């Protein structure tokens, strides 16, 4: 009798018990696999978001330092935004800053080409935001501020010149297009980087032109914080920047862009 009881205690699991145990193990393994996949996906998403934030902050800081350290005078207010019109849409995506490496050759006149600094999408790869410095040997005097076509031609030549020094600020700039090809996909030649610049001046360009033409009084100009006197006043130029960066692959249609906004202020004195 004791031997029979001992043998009964040592018997193995039944088929039903094995099936239940296998099912439970499969469920546990599947749950752990899903958890590992979710953690890995969340980790990758967080890394991509962090990298995009670092790119955005770094680009805005570089633009801010350039604008705040720019040279400004009555003929050139330190900064200039060049807009391109394509397909009936206007893209103010090029910022020109008077930022000489040392001292300005003519602080009261127009800048030299070598003293400029451009911030713009790369024409060859619109998802790249570039900082462009012309050749140090180019001492050509820049066009007058009102020569829109001349400035546009100059900026386009500097962006593609082999002698210009180009620094990539980010390669995650969102791209968009105003046209598609026959397959319904964006036409590569029409892709534009999502960067936007806006200048706000006080006194405005129109007010200053009216004053110089004699149709506006000195005291009636919109001086910032009333910072003006009988012989000179302070002009304020604010540069507002908007960048849209896409974490991960900027060409992926499923990705959501992150907007970054910056504002930089330059002040300089103008004479009555």
């Amino acid at each position: 009798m004791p031997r029979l009881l001992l043998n009964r205690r040592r018997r193995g699991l039944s088929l039903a018990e094995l099936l239940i145990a296998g099912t439970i193990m499969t469920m546990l393994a599947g749950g752990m696999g899903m958890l590992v996949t979710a953690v890995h996906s969340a980790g990758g998403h967080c890394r991509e978001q962090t990298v995009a934030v670092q790119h955005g902050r770094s680009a805005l800081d570089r633009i801010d330092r350039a604008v705040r350290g720019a040279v400004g005078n009555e003929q050139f207010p330190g900064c200039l935004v060049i807009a391109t019109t394509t397909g009936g849409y206007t893209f103010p995506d090029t910022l020109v800053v008077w930022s000489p490496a040392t001292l300005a050759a003519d602080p009261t006149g127009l800048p030299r080409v070598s003293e400029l600094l451009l911030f713009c999408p790369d024409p060859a790869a619109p998802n790249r935001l570039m900082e462009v410095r012309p050749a140090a040997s180019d001492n050509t005097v820049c066009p007058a501020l009102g020569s829109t076509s001349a400035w546009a031609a100059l900026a386009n030549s500097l962006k593609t010149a082999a002698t210009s020094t180009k620094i990539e600020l980010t390669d995650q700039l969102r791209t968009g297009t105003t046209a598609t090809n026959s397959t319904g996909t964006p036409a590569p030649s029409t892709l534009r980087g999502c960067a936007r610049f806006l200048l706000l001046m006080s006194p405005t360009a129109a007010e200053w032109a009216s004053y110089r033409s004699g149709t506006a009084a000195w005291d009636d100009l919109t001086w910032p914080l009333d910072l003006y006197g009988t012989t000179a006043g302070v002009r304020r130029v604010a540069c507002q920047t908007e960048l849209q960066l896409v974490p991960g692959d900027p060409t992926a249609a499923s990705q959501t862009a992150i907007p970054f906004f910056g504002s930089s202020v330059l002040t300089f004195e103008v004479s009555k």
Side-chain angles (χ1 to χ4, degrees):
M1 180 67 72
R3 182 176 298 178
L4 292 175
L5 293 175
L6 181 60
N7 291 338
R8 186 175 297 175
R9 294 192 189 98
R10 289 180 176 178
R11 69 182 179 84
L13 297 174
S14 66
L15 178 60
E17 290 172 336
L18 287 173
L19 289 174
I20 293 173
T23 301
I24 293 175
M25 293 299 295
T26 302
M27 293 174 62
L28 289 176
M32 291 298 295
M34 293 176 62
L35 179 61
V36 170
T37 302
V39 170
H40 179 74
S41 177
H45 176 76
C46 291
R47 284 192 297 271
E48 291 176 352
Q49 294 281 326
T50 300
V51 171
V53 170
Q54 291 174 345
H55 281 215
R57 288 179 176 175
S58 176
L60 290 177
D61 286 345
R62 201 164 181 100
I63 295 171
D64 179 62
R65 287 195 299 269
V67 172
R68 288 189 290 109
V71 178
N73 58 30
E74 181 179 340
Q75 296 192 51
F76 191 86
C79 306
L80 173 66
V81 173
I82 299 177
T84 303
T85 301
T86 303
Y89 297 91
T90 301
F91 301 93
D93 56 5
T94 300
L95 175 66
V96 181
V97 183
W98 187 359
S99 179
T102 54
L103 298 176
D106 186 6
T108 60
L110 290 169
R112 303 296 188 264
V113 172
S114 60
E115 298 173 345
L116 300 179
L117 202 58
L118 279 70
F119 297 93
C120 59
D122 186 351
N127 63 296
R128 302 172 62 204
L129 181 68
M130 306 296 294
E131 176 185 298
V132 181
R133 168 75 73 176
S137 59
D138 192 345
N139 294 317
T140 307
V141 179
C142 292
L145 188 61
S147 301
T148 306
S149 58
W151 271 106
L154 175 61
N156 290 334
S157 65
L158 295 177
K159 294 175 188 179
T160 57
T163 55
S164 297
T165 301
K166 304 177 180 69
I167 299 175
E168 179 184 291
L169 302 185
T170 180
D171 62 350
Q172 297 187 344
L173 201 62
R174 179 188 178 189
T175 57
T177 182
T178 59
T180 57
N181 53 28
S182 58
T183 62
T185 57
S189 60
T190 64
L191 285 177
R192 310 287 305 189
C194 293
R196 181 176 183 268
F197 302 100
L198 175 65
L199 291 184
L200 301 174
M201 291 187 287
S202 181
T204 65
E207 288 178 332
W208 191 252
S210 298
Y211 167 71
R212 284 306 186 194
S213 64
T215 57
W218 175 263
D219 294 343
D220 292 337
L221 301 180
T222 54
W223 298 106
L225 300 177
D226 287 335
L227 293 176
Y228 73 100
T230 57
T231 59
V234 173
R235 195 173 193 184
R236 180 179 183 270
V237 178
C239 175
Q240 297 182 348
T241 304
E242 177 188 356
L243 304 176
Q244 294 187 25
L245 303 187
V246 179
D249 183 7
T251 62
S254 60
Q255 291 282 27
T256 301
I258 304 175
F260 292 87
F261 301 94
S263 182
S264 309
V265 175
L266 168 67
T267 57
F268 55 91
E269 183 179 284
V270 291
S271 301
K272 187 175 182 179

